[in-house]
């Protein structure tokens, strides 16, 4: 064959075209793979499922590919969850039960040195890993993965009795449409007793009974609950409350059946409307007779010896966790859908500030009304009303009855309480749904197929678990579960969460991760609280409880729970916390290693995802590409591994292509000449 013949040139050109076509084909496949994996514009665009394939452990540890549509949605979700029933419903009765003003000292201590640092920690690890509580703690500390499981179980148990508060609100909401509000007078022979006492009887100079009760108390206890004399007298099912509970779960289901995306648009209303009504009610409550006595009880400690009571510290720590929404897994789940470089410090300050202001406003309003009730009854503040979870349904109707057009304000208030309950339930149920999807992705997709079906199953199961709360002795069971789950169990969960992240994962790694996300190190105060203050305070509360434990009581200590009821409470706590050692043993058994010590050391190592292309934890490369495809050009997004644009990559590849073409031509020419 003669040198530089037409046949030789055609063969060389054909080889070049084939190689170029293969390269273009590979790049096109990679591009469309990446195109299909881009995060949607709004969170949960694909019905809460991860867009990527969940086959294998490798895919299960990668960050999610979905984000909140805006930062405001995330902040509203956190505020709506934390500033919900925990503040408006739980804070007044926990503070009244714990001695009033003396409760504020342990509450502020646990809030500043335990609650806020843990909130910052949960937002950080959720945003960094891009996963729910189980997967997050399983990646950072495989040994204590069970802590995430325990937090999800606590959230599920809370959903079973928080829905009862929504049912109560629905009952009062529809009752408020009556022409005469039934909790404003003592003229209802079906539930009012001779002990009923109000301002009308006081003006008539009638003889005050030895145990006076307001119309609101008797309506709540004798009409709605038909309350029995104790948990040992269960009584009948309250079928009208069962109907309200069904309505409550229907509302919850259709609010989140398409996941949190379906409830995002109503958060602007449900998270802001309550503050308007609270401000209006606060102004009216401060003008009631006797309000100053209630405010003195709120701000001025009466009995400092209550600080020796372990239940006061347990309630304070539990309330700070409930108010901020931490140790329940919801904040980790919310943060997992943040952009990687979101400023979590701003979010922590915003949620903490709104939470503190709301607690104070609700506390001032509640105790001003309690002062008015004390004035009418002629009793001291600490004995004026029965403590318990029903306190909100006694003091608020009392204030509403003093408003002009009380029917209108009652409708608005209980609608507000309904919105707050739904806000809390959105987050509590969603963290359960998300955790199940994270834990069993293949089973959920192949067996249940539809996200709506999974949400329906969880709502139905939670409904049946909540039925014991609406029998005639349900209020006793309600307080029992609330105390042992939301106050006692949650302290242990928070302690092991701190140990898993700050000690086992290591504070230096966490500080580095936060700096990668926000370009700033966490403050010395935050780091000191993570390592020293928070675990020390929680341990101190544990030891105080062992030294000075006082059994749970009801009705200002007049009712003591039977021993078997306490065994039920501690059994629930034990079952939830048993997840921590159970998963630790299971993970040690499955870990790599020749002996037990080697397996144990392996579970102490974090299992953090690293991209196969850029070796970063959080990026937007197509993590489904195969090893053979790694020669393809990477598409750099947030955060970029290198500051090199696609244009530069394209120019470099064009130059490499020309060099390679010239090399092939020269090689063919030399071969022909030889």
């Amino acid at each position: 064959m003669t040198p530089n013949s037409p046949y030789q040139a055609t063969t060389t050109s054909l080889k070049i075209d084939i190689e170029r076509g293969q390269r273009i084909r590979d790049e096109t496949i990679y591009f469309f793979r990446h195109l299909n994996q881009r995060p949607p514009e709004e969170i949960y665009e694909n019905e809460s499922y991860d867009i990527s394939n969940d086959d294998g452990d490798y895919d299960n540890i990668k960050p999610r590919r979905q984000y909140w549509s805006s930062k405001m949605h995330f902040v509203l979700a956190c505020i709506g969850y934390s500033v919900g029933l925990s503040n408006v419903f739980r804070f007044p009765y926990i503070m009244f039960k714990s001695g009033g003003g003396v409760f504020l000292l342990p509450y502020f201590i646990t809030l500043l040195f335990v609650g806020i640092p843990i909130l910052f920690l949960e937002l950080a690890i959720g945003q960094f890993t891009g996963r729910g509580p189980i997967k997050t703690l399983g990646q950072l500390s495989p040994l204590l993965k069970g802590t995430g499981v325990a937090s999800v179980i606590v959230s599920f148990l809370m959903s079973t009795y928080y829905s009862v508060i929504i049912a109560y609100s629905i009952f009062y909401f529809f009752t408020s449409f009556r022409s005469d509000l039934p909790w404003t007078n003592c003229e209802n022979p079906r539930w009012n007793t001779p002990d009923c006492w109000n301002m009308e009887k006081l003006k008539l100079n009638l003889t005050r009974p030895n145990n006076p009760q307001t119309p609101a108390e008797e309506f709540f206890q004798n009409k709605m609950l038909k309350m029995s004399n104790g948990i040992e007298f269960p009584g009948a099912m309250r079928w009208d409350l069962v109907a309200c509970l069904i309505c409550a779960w229907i509302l919850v289901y259709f609010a989140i059946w398409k996941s949190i995306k379906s409830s995002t648009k109503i958060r602007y209303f449900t998270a802001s409307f309550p503050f308007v009504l609270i401000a209006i009610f606060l102004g009216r409550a401060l003008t009631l007779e006797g309000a100053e006595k209630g405010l003195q009880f709120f701000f001025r400690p009466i009995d400092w010896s209550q600080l020796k009571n372990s239940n006061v510290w347990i309630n304070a720590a539990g309330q700070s966790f409930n108010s901020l929404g931490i140790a329940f897994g919801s904040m980790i789940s919310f943060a997992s859908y943040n952009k990687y470089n979101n400023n979590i410090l701003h979010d922590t300050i915003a949620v903490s500030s709104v939470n503190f202001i709301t607690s104070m406003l609700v506390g001032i309003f509640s105790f001003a009304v309690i002062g008015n009730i004390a004035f009418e009854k002629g009793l001291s503040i600490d004995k004026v009303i029965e403590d318990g979870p029903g306190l909100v349904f006694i003091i608020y109707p009392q204030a509403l009855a003093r408003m002009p057009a009380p029917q209108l304000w009652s409708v608005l208030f209980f609608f507000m309480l309904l919105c707050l309950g739904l806000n809390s339930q959105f987050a509590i149920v969603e963290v359960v749904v998300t955790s199940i999807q994270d834990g069993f992705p293949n089973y959920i997709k192949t067996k249940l197929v539809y996200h709506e079906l999974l949400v329906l199953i969880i709502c139905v199961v939670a409904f049946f678990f909540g039925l014991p709360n609406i029998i005639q002795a349900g209020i006793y069971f309600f307080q029992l579960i609330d105390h042992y789950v939301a106050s006692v169990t949650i302290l242990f969960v928070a302690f092991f969460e701190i140990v898993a992240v700050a000690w086992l994962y290591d504070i230096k790694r966490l500080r580095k991760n936060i700096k990668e996300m926000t370009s700033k190190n966490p403050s010395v105060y935050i780091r000191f609280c993570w390592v020293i203050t928070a675990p020390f305070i929680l341990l101190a509360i544990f030891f105080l409880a062992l030294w000075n434990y006082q059994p749970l009581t009801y009705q200002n200590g007049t009712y003591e729970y039977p021993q078997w009821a306490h065994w039920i409470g501690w059994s629930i706590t034990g079952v939830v916390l048993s997840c921590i050692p159970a998963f630790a043993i299971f993970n040690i058994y499955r870990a790599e290693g020749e002996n037990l010590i080697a397996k144990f050391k392996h579970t102490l190592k974090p299992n953090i995802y690293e991209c196969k292309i850029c070796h970063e934890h959080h990026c937007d490369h197509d993590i489904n590409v195969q090893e053979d495809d790694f020669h393809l050009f990477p598409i750099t997004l947030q955060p970029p591994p290198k500051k090199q644009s696609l244009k530069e990559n394209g120019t470099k590849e064009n130059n490499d292509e020309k060099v390679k073409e010239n090399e092939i031509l020269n090689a063919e020419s030399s071969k022909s000449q030889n």
Side-chain angles (χ1 to χ4, degrees):
M1 185 181 301
T2 58
N4 300 326
S5 65
Y7 178 79
Q8 177 187 349
T10 302
T11 303
T12 303
S13 177
L14 182 61
K15 291 181 179 179
I16 294 174
D17 290 341
I18 291 174
E19 291 185 3
R20 183 181 300 169
Q22 290 176 346
R23 184 163 57 254
I24 292 174
R25 182 202 65 183
D26 293 341
E27 292 173 355
T28 303
I29 292 174
Y30 180 88
F31 173 77
F32 280 103
R33 281 180 178 175
H34 175 79
L35 183 65
N36 291 331
Q37 298 291 331
R38 290 183 65 83
E41 293 298 323
E42 194 166 357
I43 185 174
Y44 290 99
E45 190 69 32
N46 196 24
E47 300 182 355
S48 265
Y49 286 107
D50 282 342
I51 300 177
S52 55
N53 182 21
D54 280 322
D55 296 334
D57 293 338
Y58 182 80
D59 291 329
N60 283 337
I61 64 174
K62 63 181 180 293
R64 285 194 178 93
R65 326 310 300 166
Q66 300 165 319
Y67 304 102
W68 293 99
S69 59
S70 69
K71 185 180 179 66
M72 182 58 67
H73 285 172
F74 168 68
V75 175
L76 286 176
C78 293
I79 291 177
Y81 171 53
S82 59
V83 184
L85 292 181
S86 298
N87 288 82
V88 177
F89 158 73
R90 199 172 188 276
F91 180 79
Y93 103 80
I94 287 293
M95 184 173 180
F96 184 79
K97 182 181 181 67
S98 302
V102 72
F103 171 82
L104 291 178
L105 179 60
Y107 176 69
F108 287 147
I109 291 176
T110 54
L111 188 67
L112 289 175
F113 297 106
V114 183
I116 295 176
I118 292 181
L119 174 63
F120 185 83
L121 180 141
E122 289 196 351
L123 296 181
I125 62 178
Q127 181 170 304
F128 178 72
T129 60
R131 282 287 173 176
I134 298 178
K135 289 292 182 181
T136 294
L137 293 173
Q139 290 182 33
L140 301 182
S141 177
L143 183 67
L144 294 181
K145 181 180 181 179
T147 306
V149 179
S151 67
V152 173
I153 296 176
V154 168
S155 291
F156 173 77
L157 293 176
M158 284 190 63
S159 71
T160 63
Y161 65 86
Y162 263 30
S163 60
V164 176
I165 302 301
I166 302 178
Y168 290 171
S169 303
I170 293 174
F171 185 91
Y172 272 84
F173 175 76
F174 286 107
T175 307
S176 299
F177 285 97
R178 297 177 60 173
S179 57
D180 294 325
L181 294 178
W183 53 78
T184 58
N185 57 69
C186 297
E187 300 173 358
N188 300 281
R190 287 188 299 165
W191 62 81
N192 287 138
T193 66
D195 291 332
C196 185
W197 185 258
N198 58 4
M199 287 295 295
E200 285 72 16
K201 291 186 176 182
L202 181 64
K203 293 177 181 178
L204 294 175
N205 293 323
L206 298 177
T207 303
R208 181 185 288 113
N210 295 327
N211 184 28
Q213 290 189 316
T214 64
E217 285 182 86
E218 294 201 337
F219 177 81
F220 176 74
Q221 296 174 358
N222 302 336
K223 169 62 173 115
M224 190 182 74
L225 297 182
K226 294 186 178 179
M227 187 173 163
S228 68
N229 294 326
I231 196 173
E232 59 269 41
F233 305 103
M237 186 71 68
R238 296 287 295 114
W239 293 108
D240 46 357
L241 291 181
V242 172
C244 293
L245 187 62
I246 293 174
C247 293
W249 277 112
I250 290 175
L251 291 174
V252 172
Y253 173 73
F254 283 105
I256 64 172
W257 70 319
K258 292 289 186 182
S259 70
I260 289 182
K261 178 189 173 184
S262 56
S263 64
T264 298
K265 295 180 181 179
I266 66 174
R267 289 188 186 278
Y268 288 101
F269 176 76
T270 59
S272 57
F273 175 67
F275 290 97
V276 178
L277 289 185
I278 289 174
I280 295 174
F281 294 148
L282 177 63
R284 180 66 183 102
L286 293 176
T287 62
L288 296 175
E289 293 182 280
E292 65 279 359
K293 293 183 178 180
L295 296 180
Q296 289 177 1
F297 186 78
F298 179 77
F299 287 109
R300 184 184 301 171
I302 298 177
D303 185 8
W304 287 101
S305 64
Q306 287 289 331
L307 293 177
K308 299 178 182 179
N309 186 345
S310 60
N311 284 349
V312 173
W313 288 90
I314 291 175
N315 292 336
Q319 180 56 34
S320 66
F321 294 163
N322 279 267
S323 296
L324 294 173
I326 56 178
F328 297 98
S330 296
M331 288 301 182
I332 296 178
S333 293
F334 284 163
S336 68
Y337 295 98
N338 276 339
K339 295 294 181 66
Y340 186 70
N341 59 351
N342 176 64
N343 194 323
I344 50 181
L345 179 60
H346 293 170
D347 301 332
T348 304
I349 294 175
V351 174
S352 303
S353 301
V354 174
N355 165 75
F356 174 76
I357 294 172
T358 307
S359 296
M360 291 299 100
L361 291 178
V362 171
I364 293 172
F365 164 54
S366 301
F367 282 86
V369 177
I370 293 176
N372 174 254
I373 297 175
F375 171 78
E376 292 185 5
K377 288 186 174 183
L379 300 175
S380 60
I381 296 290
D382 57 336
K383 298 179 180 179
V384 69
I385 200 170
E386 296 177 353
D387 60 359
L391 185 66
V392 64
F393 294 99
I394 296 175
I395 59 176
Y396 290 142
Q398 177 84 3
L400 296 172
R402 303 292 187 270
M403 300 283 288
Q407 290 85 355
L408 172 63
W409 292 109
S410 296
V411 169
L412 291 177
F413 173 79
F414 290 111
F415 178 72
M416 176 201 75
L417 202 60
L418 176 62
C419 292
L420 292 175
L422 290 175
N423 264 336
S424 299
Q425 285 293 81
F426 293 159
I428 293 173
V429 177
E430 183 61 30
V431 74
V432 179
V433 174
T434 303
S435 299
I436 293 177
Q437 289 176 344
D438 281 349
F440 310 97
N442 296 328
Y443 180 84
I444 298 300
K445 290 183 179 180
T446 57
K447 301 298 183 181
L448 295 181
V449 181
Y450 297 105
H451 171 83
E452 294 85 351
L453 184 58
L454 174 62
V455 176
L456 178 62
I457 292 174
I458 293 174
C459 290
V460 170
V461 173
F463 164 76
F464 283 105
F465 270 80
L467 289 179
N469 295 287
I470 53 177
I471 58 177
Q472 288 181 272
I475 195 67
Y476 299 99
F477 186 77
F478 186 110
Q479 182 176 256
L480 183 74
I481 299 300
D482 183 65
H483 175 73
Y484 282 100
V485 172
S487 292
V488 177
T489 305
I490 203 65
L491 299 185
F492 289 95
V493 174
F495 174 77
F496 284 107
E497 183 179 297
I498 283 285
V499 172
V501 179
W503 291 3
L504 298 185
Y505 180 65
D506 190 45
I507 191 69
K508 294 181 180 179
R509 285 198 188 104
L510 183 60
R511 182 179 62 180
K512 178 184 176 183
N513 301 149
I514 294 174
K515 188 173 183 180
E516 289 175 358
M517 293 187 294
T518 64
S519 301
K520 295 181 180 179
N521 283 317
S523 64
V524 177
Y525 156 72
I526 291 291
R527 299 200 304 268
F528 181 76
C529 290
W530 286 343
V531 179
I532 303 297
T533 307
F536 174 78
I537 291 178
L538 293 177
L539 280 177
I541 295 175
F542 296 155
F543 287 120
L544 180 62
L546 293 176
W547 173 64
N548 186 23
Y549 175 75
Q550 295 186 5
L552 181 67
T553 61
Y554 191 66
Q555 297 176 342
N556 296 331
T558 58
Y559 174 78
E560 295 183 359
Y561 281 84
Q563 190 64 35
W564 60 264
H566 291 289
W567 279 111
I568 291 177
W570 284 113
S571 297
I572 294 174
T573 299
V575 170
V576 175
L577 296 180
S578 66
C579 296
I580 300 175
F583 273 82
I585 295 172
F586 179 73
N587 286 335
I588 291 174
Y589 173 77
R590 292 188 58 189
E592 299 177 359
E594 298 179 355
N595 51 51
L596 183 62
I597 297 178
K599 289 176 176 289
F600 176 76
K601 290 182 179 180
H602 190 271
T603 59
L604 297 177
K605 298 178 181 178
N607 183 26
I608 299 297
Y609 162 78
E610 286 188 0
C611 176
K612 293 182 179 180
I613 297 177
C614 63
H615 302 291
E616 294 288 337
H617 169 71
H618 201 290
C619 67
D620 278 323
H621 292 135
D622 183 356
I623 43 100
N624 287 325
V625 297
Q626 304 298 323
E627 294 286 351
D628 296 338
D629 297 331
F630 284 176
H631 66 279
L632 305 178
F633 67 93
I635 299 178
T636 54
L637 291 177
Q638 165 89 36
K642 294 182 180 180
K643 294 182 179 180
Q644 186 177 22
S645 65
L646 293 174
K647 182 177 180 180
E648 293 174 348
N649 287 335
T651 304
K652 182 178 179 181
E653 289 195 357
N654 290 335
N655 294 334
D656 293 342
E657 182 179 331
K658 291 180 180 180
V659 171
K660 187 173 183 180
E661 183 177 348
N662 292 331
E663 290 178 353
I664 294 175
L665 290 173
N666 293 334
E668 293 291 341
S669 178
S670 300
K671 183 177 180 181
S672 299
Q673 292 176 2
N674 293 334

